Amino acid sequence: MINYQEILSRYRPTSEEESKLKEISADIVAKINNICSLRGLRAEAVIVGSYAKGTNLRDGDLDIFIAFDRDYPEEIVNKEGLRIGHAVLPNGREKYAEHPYVSGEVKGVKIDVVPCYKMHFGDRKISAVDRTLLHTEYVNQHLDDRGRDEVRLLKIFMKSIGVYGAEARTFGFSGYLCELLVIRLGSFDSVIQFFSKAKGRVMLDDDDRFQDPMVLIDPVDPDRNVASPVSLESLSRMKIASKLYISSQDAQFFQIDYEKKDVAYHDRGTCIMIYSIQKPDLTDDVIYPQVYRFRSVLQKIMEAHEIRVISSEIDVSDRIYVLIETPTCNEDRIHVHTGPPVDTDNAVDFIESWKIRKRSRGPYLVGDRLYVDVFTGERSIEEIVRAEIENYSIGKNLDKFKKNIEIRKFKGDSERMPILDKFFGAGVFRRNT
């Protein structure tokens, strides 16, 4: 049997860390409240997030909200929120979600200072972040110390298999969703049993308004599906991981800091091209949708030239990388051009037009439709992409980097790259690599 207490002792914050977080958070809260008092602002600091709910893991972050009275205009909330954030985090930088906020570090602890509106149960939310105040209150009302550790176990498990986090990088399970799952189902083991037996869409709440792969209605906001960020792939990974854990009782399912294995690169008899562009300084939730769009555009370009895409991969590190695998590195020399059926009015025009145009053969008939084989030349995929990428938008923040796209072909002796490690080390769970 797995010793859950031993696992928790590895990942639960130490008493020294808890004291440090308590000291830092109390200091920042006092500074924020003092600034609000001096400036005559009807606002106060509120500690939220996993630390405030007691479900935090070791080396976690601090989230501190500045809750303004609800009659303040949004521009005042944003302006004063940033001013206060910079005052308490002098080395912080501005980031943008629904509200702009300040993110920085104090004594090695990452801290976000976020403006919001005060909100009580039953109030209409003014902005999406407002309900975070109620999330903290709800969880603290429904979890005792045992329940908090059950949440920690679930977070450790999900981190180990690569499905923890609702951001666009992961499309997985948020910390709040983990807390609600334990509150709803009772324990870590019950959650694992539930997902091991789940089939198809996972509907913890039967609500026809939502068509996501998983549905669990937010108890503080009945119009919101907390599980909406969970992708079908993340849900499937959670299902199979739960099945495997129950059958194996393998302690590796609680190993967050696993040692990465060397991945062997090899020739697959295909063409593997890596496209990279500069990475702008943006949050994951802003940059990742555009990276997925970049990949989609590359695939569309291939498809337009009838080049079959076998597989793909993305990586965001020092640069943005997209890997596309195709059967060959060149466009086919012959393209079969489809003409009209013979009983249409433009069938004769099609034949006449091709009499004076360069072609390999045809027009000819297959069934009742005309076709002609056309010479396409023999352009490389690299030439095609460079010629056509400017015709597409890959995202408002990435478009300016298209002209300087770097393209390299994978060779068996290629230097090691994170994107190649991900591609050749692909497995059900991240720890496979």
Side-chain angles (χ1 to χ4, degrees):
M1 288 290 293
I2 299 293
N3 185 335
Y4 289 156
Q5 289 306 312
E6 190 278 328
I7 292 166
L8 287 167
S9 70
R10 275 190 281 135
Y11 294 112
R12 189 194 288 124
T14 63
S15 58
E16 291 80 9
E17 182 180 350
E18 289 286 5
S19 296
K20 181 180 178 180
L21 293 172
K22 184 177 181 180
E23 178 186 338
I24 292 172
S25 60
D27 180 60
I28 292 178
V29 165
K31 287 178 177 177
I32 290 173
N33 287 338
N34 184 53
I35 293 170
C36 290
S37 177
L38 291 173
R39 293 185 59 77
L41 295 170
R42 288 172 283 112
E44 60 183 350
V46 183
I47 304 171
V48 296
S50 60
Y51 170 69
K53 294 177 280 191
T55 62
N56 53 320
L57 299 179
R58 193 169 296 182
D59 299 324
D61 306 334
L62 279 175
D63 298 308
I64 300 177
F65 279 22
I66 310 168
F68 288 79
D69 276 6
R70 295 167 65 84
D71 58 346
Y72 277 107
E74 184 177 355
E75 57 268 23
I76 296 296
V77 171
N78 291 342
K79 179 181 176 181
E80 295 294 340
L82 287 176
R83 178 180 292 180
I84 296 168
H86 284 301
V88 299
L89 297 174
N91 297 318
R93 65 189 185 97
E94 293 178 15
K95 293 187 176 181
Y96 296 86
E98 184 169 358
H99 289 297
Y101 64 99
V102 177
S103 181
E105 192 173 291
V106 174
K107 296 181 181 179
V109 177
K110 180 180 174 295
I111 300 170
D112 289 337
V113 175
V114 183
C116 72
Y117 287 99
K118 293 176 182 177
M119 187 173 179
H120 302 285
F121 286 101
D123 286 346
R124 178 185 61 83
K125 68 177 181 295
I126 299 175
S127 69
V129 295
D130 303 342
R131 58 185 168 223
T132 305
L133 303 174
L134 301 187
H135 291 168
T136 303
E137 188 176 345
Y138 181 86
V139 170
N140 283 333
Q141 288 175 354
H142 290 82
L143 281 181
D144 55 16
D145 287 343
R146 183 197 67 81
R148 292 183 175 93
D149 277 345
E150 297 292 328
V151 171
R152 286 188 169 109
L153 286 171
L154 184 58
K155 288 183 177 182
I156 295 164
F157 184 89
M158 289 186 173
K159 278 179 173 283
S160 174
I161 65 172
V163 299
Y164 182 74
E167 67 279 357
R169 176 191 289 265
T170 305
F171 289 118
F173 296 71
S174 67
Y176 181 49
L177 179 53
C178 290
E179 291 154 358
L180 292 182
L181 284 169
V182 169
I183 291 170
R184 181 74 67 91
L185 301 174
S187 68
F188 166 76
D189 283 328
S190 297
V191 174
I192 296 300
Q193 287 286 345
F194 174 81
F195 280 101
S196 72
K197 296 174 182 176
K199 299 183 186 302
R201 293 179 68 208
V202 173
M203 304 286 290
L204 283 106
D205 292 303
D206 191 8
D207 194 320
D208 293 337
R209 293 176 298 169
F210 305 101
Q211 299 303 314
D212 305 296
M214 180 175 170
V215 177
L216 193 160
I217 303 302
D218 191 338
V220 308
D221 184 354
D223 294 324
R224 175 180 180 244
N225 174 22
V226 180
S228 63
V230 180
S231 67
L232 179 60
E233 183 175 305
S234 290
L235 177 59
S236 299
R237 188 172 284 125
M238 183 61 185
K239 288 178 180 178
I240 192 63
S242 298
K243 292 176 187 289
L244 289 170
Y245 172 65
I246 288 173
S247 66
S248 69
Q249 292 293 297
D250 188 344
Q252 287 193 67
F253 281 102
F254 300 93
Q255 190 68 36
I256 297 175
D257 305 314
Y258 59 89
E259 183 179 349
K260 291 189 70 175
K261 301 174 184 175
D262 287 336
V263 177
Y265 299 171
H266 56 277
D267 183 1
R268 287 163 55 91
T270 59
C271 176
I272 297 173
M273 303 291 287
I274 299 167
Y275 307 85
S276 73
I277 57 174
Q278 185 177 331
K279 173 191 171 186
D281 185 17
L282 299 168
T283 62
D284 284 352
D285 282 344
V286 174
I287 199 169
Y288 268 85
Q290 296 180 66
V291 175
Y292 294 130
R293 185 170 183 175
F294 180 24
R295 176 171 62 178
S296 176
V297 163
L298 290 170
Q299 291 172 329
K300 284 180 181 178
I301 291 173
M302 306 299 167
E303 291 164 5
H305 290 266
E306 298 188 354
I307 301 170
R308 182 169 64 90
V309 174
I310 298 172
S311 57
S312 65
E313 186 58 83
I314 66 167
D315 179 69
V316 179
S317 47
D318 59 317
R319 291 171 61 85
I320 293 168
Y321 297 90
V322 177
L323 179 153
I324 303 288
E325 182 182 29
T326 56
T328 68
C329 290
N330 297 298
E331 184 179 25
D332 289 340
R333 283 183 55 81
I334 299 297
H335 167 68
V336 178
H337 180 68
T338 303
V342 296
D343 54 5
T344 59
D345 293 339
N346 58 342
V348 172
D349 291 339
F350 179 82
I351 293 173
E352 293 298 327
S353 70
W354 278 102
K355 283 182 180 180
I356 57 173
R357 296 167 67 181
K358 188 176 180 180
R359 62 198 184 280
S360 172
R361 67 177 184 135
Y364 58 89
L365 276 170
V366 176
D368 68 343
R369 185 175 285 274
L370 293 161
Y371 295 86
V372 64
D373 295 346
V374 184
F375 288 112
T376 62
E378 194 171 3
R379 289 192 300 170
S380 68
I381 287 177
E382 179 176 348
E383 291 172 319
I384 292 169
V385 170
R386 290 195 185 280
E388 299 192 17
I389 190 74
E390 286 298 320
N391 299 325
Y392 294 85
S393 171
I394 60 174
K396 66 178 183 179
N397 301 109
L398 302 188
D399 278 340
K400 59 186 175 183
F401 302 120
K402 289 187 299 186
K403 291 182 179 179
N404 297 317
I405 186 171
E406 292 183 5
I407 304 175
R408 68 175 77 179
K409 179 183 177 184
F410 165 74
K411 299 176 182 177
D413 58 350
S414 289
E415 64 182 85
R416 301 210 64 88
M417 297 177 65
I419 194 164
L420 289 172
D421 286 345
K422 289 173 71 174
F423 177 75
F424 284 103
V428 177
F429 310 121
R430 288 180 182 173
R431 59 189 175 85
N432 291 136
T433 59

